[in-house]
Amino acid sequence: MKAWIATAVAAVLAVGLMDDAGLTAPFSLFIKQELKPGDPPVPRGQGGGDDSCQWANDNECDDPDIGTGACRLGTDRSDCQYLRNGEQDACQWANDGECDEPGIGTGACVNGSDRTDCGPVAQLRFRNDSCDTAFNNVCEEPGAGNGSCDARTDRRDCIGAERPMTINDHFFGRDDRIFVPTGRYPWTMIGQLSMTAGGSCTATLIGADVLITAAHCIHGENGQTNAAGEFIAHNGQRARITHYLLDPNFDFRRFNTTDQIDGLDWALLRLDRRLGDEIGFLQVLDLTGMGSGRALTADLYQAGFSWDTGEHLSGNLACHIVAVHPRENTFAHECDTTRGDSGSPFMARSSGGRYSVIGTDSSFRSVPGQPVMNIAVSSAGWIRYLTPFRAHQIGTAVGTRQQSGSDPK
């Protein structure tokens, strides 16, 4: 996982979007990125400098002045050549109507080599909202406002909230996120899931010692389950993961390589401490099981540690479900979620002010000829396992392998 995430995110805090427990190596990119066959036939080694950076030749410019900052200046020559010497349409996939640069597109081409296709989103390159005062509607990057934000860290306030539908991200046309207060209900129950093998996601307390997150968050790139890690609460308290429960039919490789809607992307995790007794935990509601009419009209509340908001918990207030897929135990939504939000909760609020988890963020899927579809897993897929899991009657100990081919035991 690239160190730039830490740079872009500032202190990698957390759960979903930030990666490491100590907020160090930001959020592992669990969201699938579209890849095209073949390598782009672009000339390597043009311009000054060399390719001694660890991340050289991965198509993404990592020089600090014009790129992610993961490399020392001049050590990522090939990936930065077009940004430094003039953007071109040198990519094999140039002029196909789809941006193929990393970060803002599919990643099939070197930064700056798909000039025409990436033009509408080029201004979003290497920018984030990690500044402490992001989302306050005042641009505060150097030379603007009071200049209190670092360069390229106050994106929405400086360049606007509109996001072209061509961008390869979850944003639903417009970025309507805000920073939510981690010390207030219900946001106190949301924290960072930091995996021992690297990477992290967002997770939520739904029991004294039980979390809900996404199944893909506890899998390595080899497709093997590895739930070893810890949960970091908003107040810095930590608890180690001891047991997990997955749907035995969850297939990480299928999830990570296809556009199939996958309602099996959920994981229940048990902790070695009853943190929920100290900071509280949320109840669970099967909203989609109450009928699509009710589900489509309910206001949703969501928050996660997005890759681009630094240490801040960013969220959506009163966004909505746009389609219910009961057979797949999923729903499509219009909430602005992105990399790092995987496993984050979607909540509904009752008339009495209580919030209940009704689903978790999973992925975005391609839809031919349409914007990407943001997919969440409905609690309908796992709510029946919650009571026995809370009671320690089912679950697999960390370090052992869950059997497949039958319902969780």
Side-chain angles (χ1 to χ4, degrees):
M1 165 79 21
K2 286 190 177 180
W4 70 269
I5 295 186
T7 301
V9 183
V12 192
L13 175 168
V15 64
L17 61 183
M18 310 205 169
D19 256 29
D20 296 345
L23 317 183
T24 52
F27 24 141
S28 65
L29 307 178
F30 287 115
I31 296 303
K32 299 186 298 299
Q33 185 171 52
E34 178 183 353
L35 298 178
K36 295 189 175 182
D39 294 322
V42 297
R44 296 290 188 181
Q46 293 182 355
D50 56 40
D51 285 325
S52 59
C53 171
Q54 176 184 0
W55 307 109
N57 298 313
D58 67 351
N59 287 349
E60 184 171 51
C61 176
D62 293 309
D63 275 2
D65 58 337
I66 58 173
T68 68
C71 301
R72 290 181 294 106
L73 183 65
T75 62
D76 196 19
R77 175 181 58 186
S78 295
D79 293 333
C80 298
Q81 59 181 305
Y82 293 112
L83 294 183
R84 197 170 296 285
N85 302 319
E87 296 185 37
Q88 302 177 26
D89 282 324
C91 168
Q92 175 182 356
W93 309 106
N95 298 306
D96 67 350
E98 180 175 48
C99 178
D100 291 310
E101 294 184 20
I104 56 175
T106 67
C109 299
V110 176
N111 276 140
S113 68
D114 196 17
R115 177 181 58 189
T116 300
D117 292 334
C118 297
V121 293
Q123 64 177 343
L124 298 175
R125 283 194 195 109
F126 314 122
R127 300 188 67 126
N128 60 61
D129 287 301
S130 61
C131 180
D132 290 343
T133 55
F135 303 122
N136 70 350
N137 298 318
V138 179
C139 179
E140 294 168 321
E141 292 184 1
N146 61 15
S148 59
C149 297
D150 291 336
R152 301 187 292 182
T153 64
D154 198 16
R155 175 181 55 187
R156 195 185 75 174
D157 294 336
C158 292
I159 65 176
E162 298 304 321
R163 299 287 177 263
M165 287 297 188
T166 54
I167 193 169
N168 187 26
D169 211 326
H170 279 59
F171 299 127
F172 207 81
R174 176 184 169 85
D175 186 357
D176 293 310
R177 295 173 299 167
I178 63 169
F179 288 156
V180 298
T182 56
R184 297 181 186 177
Y185 174 83
W187 317 113
T188 51
M189 288 73 166
I190 305 171
Q192 173 187 12
L193 185 65
S194 176
M195 308 312 297
T196 301
S200 71
C201 278
T202 301
T204 308
L205 279 163
I206 54 172
D209 59 354
V210 175
L211 302 171
I212 183 65
T213 189
H216 73 260
C217 294
I218 61 170
H219 283 74
E221 293 183 1
N222 61 2
Q224 296 300 310
T225 304
N226 185 351
E230 63 180 354
F231 176 73
I232 307 171
H234 74 282
N235 58 4
Q237 294 190 69
R238 296 170 182 248
R240 184 172 55 86
I241 302 167
T242 63
H243 294 76
Y244 65 93
L245 184 73
L246 304 174
D247 189 295
N249 296 310
F250 177 75
D251 185 333
F252 177 79
R253 295 187 184 279
R254 177 170 64 87
F255 173 85
N256 208 44
T257 57
T258 73
D259 280 341
Q260 299 175 26
I261 294 176
D262 197 339
L264 308 180
D265 186 27
W266 58 266
L268 292 171
L269 306 177
R270 187 176 302 136
L271 303 174
D272 66 348
R273 292 181 56 193
R274 294 176 63 87
L275 281 180
D277 288 340
E278 303 174 42
I279 63 178
F281 57 88
L282 293 172
Q283 298 301 310
V284 177
L285 176 69
D286 178 10
L287 179 65
T288 59
M290 297 178 181
S292 59
R294 182 168 180 178
L296 293 172
T297 57
D299 288 338
L300 299 188
Y301 301 82
Q302 177 275 338
F305 292 94
S306 305
W307 73 269
D308 58 349
T309 55
E311 300 180 358
H312 308 286
L313 184 64
S314 62
N316 295 260
L317 305 182
C319 54
H320 297 93
I321 293 173
V322 296
V324 176
H325 307 286
R327 291 184 179 180
E328 293 85 9
N329 290 321
T330 63
F331 57 84
H333 63 87
E334 64 176 4
C335 311
D336 293 318
T337 55
T338 186
R339 298 190 302 273
D341 286 307
S342 291
S344 64
F346 289 89
M347 299 171 286
R349 186 180 184 184
S350 68
S351 57
R354 188 183 73 173
Y355 291 81
S356 297
V357 175
I358 61 97
T360 47
D361 191 49
S362 175
S363 62
F364 66 94
R365 303 298 188 186
S366 297
V367 181
Q370 301 179 38
V372 294
M373 180 184 296
N374 300 338
I375 297 297
V377 177
S378 171
S379 60
W382 48 267
I383 194 171
R384 64 186 181 277
Y385 303 121
L386 181 56
T387 296
F389 190 77
R390 281 176 172 171
H392 295 207
Q393 296 171 355
I394 57 176
T396 302
V398 171
T400 59
R401 191 170 181 178
Q402 176 173 297
Q403 297 297 313
S404 62
S406 61
D407 285 341
K409 297 180 180 179

